[in-house]
Amino acid sequence: MSRLRRPFSSVRSRAALAATAVVAVALVAAAFALLFALRSNLTNEASGQADQFSNEVAQQIARHVPIGKLDLEGSEDHPTQVVDAKGRLLIASEDLAKITGTGVSAVRPPSTPSTTAPTPTPTPTPTGDDDDDDSGGDDDSGDDSDDDAPPPGAPDDGTVSSPGKHRTGSATVDGRTVDYVFSERRVSDVAGGPYTVFTGSSLGPRQSAVRATTIAMVIGVPALLVVVGGVTWLVTRRALRPVEGIRREMAAITASEDLTRRVPEPQTHDEVAKLARTTNETLTALEASVDRQRRFVADASHELRSPIASLRTQLEVGEAHPELLDVPGAVADTVRLQQLAADLLLLARLDAGEQAGRTRLDLAALVREEVSQRSTDRIPVTADVRGSVEVAGSRGQLARVLGNLLDNAQRHAAGEVRATVRREGGRVVLAVADDGSGVPEAERERIFERFVRLDDARSRDDGGAGLGLAIARDVAHRHGGTLEVGRAEAGGALFELHLPAAGRDPERPVPTGASALGAAPAQVLGDRRE
């Protein structure tokens, strides 16, 4: 069954079948309309011929031609009957053997047709006064005579009616039975009348034309449908050939897992070319995402290896020589390992699509609380925070952003770290500034990438893993805000976190690049130059 359905499972087969079906419906409708119009036109033509011949016969009777002397020339093509007022047949076509449809089945009159001309129906004659007037006006009558007037004593012509309702029937003439359309006319105002004339016109030409047209359509319509289906199939196949190339290449990419390959792009400007270009753009983004993910795994493995190796060495030395165990160093390595694991776990949750909460919180109070707990920092933090400024989000994640920004400032400041909160229109700005060496303008976007640390940070033993700023920016984005770095008034770095004020729906940006594919790191808390 699957093999039987397979030819109609492709787009080109369905397109060809649909086009053929539409054309078939149109052709069948057109064929019926054509046959109806042809039949109607030929029937009207035959009716007109029957009307013309019946008029010729009726005019002879109206001119008082004797019934027996009526000229029925051409009656082999136009079978004719003349009946009287009682429906008795008076004369019929000589070769007529059988007839139906006129209401008179007789084909031979019961007696020989009269050769006496039908005379007008008698009308009253003028009284004697008129004779006197005529006898006394000889001179006037001579003056009023008309050369075209019938001679004195000539009978008036009878009256021929318009053709009545046409009838259809059949007639056998010379041994051939053919269908006819009959015209009916009445002749009145003649003696012995009124007379009725039936004259037929053959429907054979109509039937032959309709039959020939039907045969042509029966043969031609299927042939045309085959041509339409074949042409549609070929055109659709040609149009979809690039799609098949794209499909094969995508299958090869999937099988080989080689994301450097690209699908062929047709040199056209149609939808298939747009599909190919979009597919290649998706492959490019996917390749970049996978590369970032691989670098992330490699960097994470490297960062984890160092504290684990150091901790293991210290424990092994302590096991062999307890007096040489560096407990503070072991604790520091454990803390560093714990912080790195926490950062990696948070990044994993963010990459999995964890959304920020919608709790209203006072950002100014959060800054004051965070700063009050950092009394043992190398450089005291100055908090310039007044009043209450509310935002909507996750208290834990925002506290993590603030903590990472302050840790980063402590690591690079010379003698001052300042945290401020202010409101600008419908947004709240949290700024953390230091008086260190600052961030070179060319590196201001790069520092938000994962595991990125500038050269001076790599030389510091207390440098971070390079995840803080990446986490910070991602958290900012998930709260509908932004995190940017600039230059502080004291010459150091200035980090500004912009968040929507509470009561306004945060405009969450659509993740782009590798982040949109779930492979790129989310960007939120982190170290500036770790």
Side-chain angles (χ1 to χ4, degrees), residues 20 54 61 127 168 230 472:
T20 303
S54 66
I61 299 175
T127 60
T168 56

Side-chain angles (χ1 to χ4, degrees), residues 18 376 381 433:
T376 60
V381 179

Side-chain angles (χ1 to χ4, degrees), residues 402-479:
L402 177 59
N404 281 4
L405 293 180
L406 291 176
D407 288 342
N408 181 75
Q410 287 284 338
R411 188 175 296 116
H412 302 287
E416 180 185 13
V417 175
R418 180 178 295 272
T420 61
V421 177
R422 67 182 185 274
R423 181 160 184 164
E424 293 182 353
R427 301 183 76 81
V428 176
V429 180
L430 167 62
V432 176
D434 62 65
D435 59 350
S437 59
V439 181
E441 187 173 354
E443 304 288 346
R444 289 180 180 175
E445 284 300 317
R446 182 168 170 263
I447 62 174
F448 291 105
E449 298 178 6
R450 296 180 181 184
F451 296 107
V452 170
R453 292 176 296 183
L454 302 188
D455 293 339
D456 62 341
R458 291 183 181 274
S459 64
R460 296 177 181 267
D461 294 336
D462 60 347
L467 295 177
L469 292 180
I471 296 175
R473 175 169 277 189
D474 195 24
V475 171
H477 285 176
R478 293 181 185 277
H479 281 75

Side-chain angles (χ1 to χ4, degrees), residues 64 117-122 189-193 195:
H64 315 297
T119 59
T121 302
D189 297 333
V190 291
Y195 298 94

Side-chain angles (χ1 to χ4, degrees), residues 4-288:
L4 293 176
R5 291 193 296 267
R6 187 173 181 180
F8 300 101
S9 62
S10 64
V11 173
R12 58 177 178 267
S13 298
R14 291 197 300 269
L17 184 62
T20 303
V22 171
V23 174
V25 173
L27 287 179
V28 170
F32 277 107
L34 177 61
L35 290 175
F36 177 79
L38 179 63
R39 184 185 182 94
S40 177
N41 290 338
L42 293 177
T43 300
N44 291 338
E45 182 179 353
S47 299
Q49 294 176 357
D51 290 340
Q52 179 180 356
F53 196 78
S54 66
N55 183 61
E56 294 176 359
V57 175
Q59 291 294 341
Q60 294 182 57
I61 299 175
R63 292 194 299 269
H64 315 297
V65 175
I67 299 299
K69 293 184 177 181
L70 291 177
D71 182 9
L72 302 183
E73 183 179 357
S75 61
E76 64 275 6
D77 295 326
H78 302 282
T80 303
Q81 290 178 307
V82 178
V83 299
D84 59 13
K86 296 182 179 180
R88 294 174 299 184
L89 179 66
L90 300 180
I91 189 172
S93 299
E94 183 177 354
D95 298 326
L96 183 62
K98 185 178 180 182
I99 190 170
T100 61
T102 62
V104 180
S105 59
V107 294
R108 292 291 178 268
S111 59
T112 301
S114 173
T115 58
T116 303
T119 59
T121 302
T123 56
T125 57
T127 60
D129 294 338
D130 294 333
D131 294 339
D132 295 338
D133 293 338
D134 292 340
S135 62
D138 292 339
D139 293 338
D140 293 338
S141 64
D143 294 337
D144 295 337
S145 63
D146 188 353
D147 294 338
D148 294 334
D156 294 332
D157 289 347
T159 301
V160 179
S161 68
S162 299
K165 182 179 180 180
H166 294 94
R167 307 180 184 182
T168 56
S170 62
T172 303
V173 180
D174 291 336
R176 296 175 61 250
T177 301
V178 181
D179 291 335
Y180 286 86
V181 57
F182 293 98
S183 174
E184 176 184 353
R185 288 183 185 268
R186 294 174 64 85
V187 183
S188 56
D189 297 333
V190 291
Y195 298 94
T196 303
V197 178
F198 295 102
T199 304
S201 182
S202 175
L203 294 176
R206 183 198 71 172
Q207 295 171 342
S208 299
V210 171
R211 188 181 303 110
T213 303
T214 302
I215 294 174
M217 289 182 176
V218 169
I219 297 175
V221 168
L224 182 59
L225 291 179
V226 171
V227 172
V228 170
V231 171
T232 304
W233 193 87
L234 292 176
V235 171
T236 307
R237 179 185 180 185
R238 181 179 180 86
L240 294 179
R241 187 175 300 165
V243 177
E244 178 61 21
I246 294 173
R247 186 203 64 78
R248 286 197 300 266
E249 187 62 24
M250 288 297 296
I253 293 173
T254 302
S256 64
E257 298 183 358
D258 183 7
L259 296 178
T260 61
R261 300 174 62 171
R262 297 294 181 266
V263 301
E265 296 186 12
Q267 299 300 318
T268 57
H269 301 283
D270 55 11
E271 290 78 2
V272 177
K274 294 179 181 178
L275 172 64
R277 286 191 289 272
T278 302
T279 302
N280 284 335
E281 291 172 359
T282 302
L283 289 173
T284 300
L286 183 60
E287 180 186 10

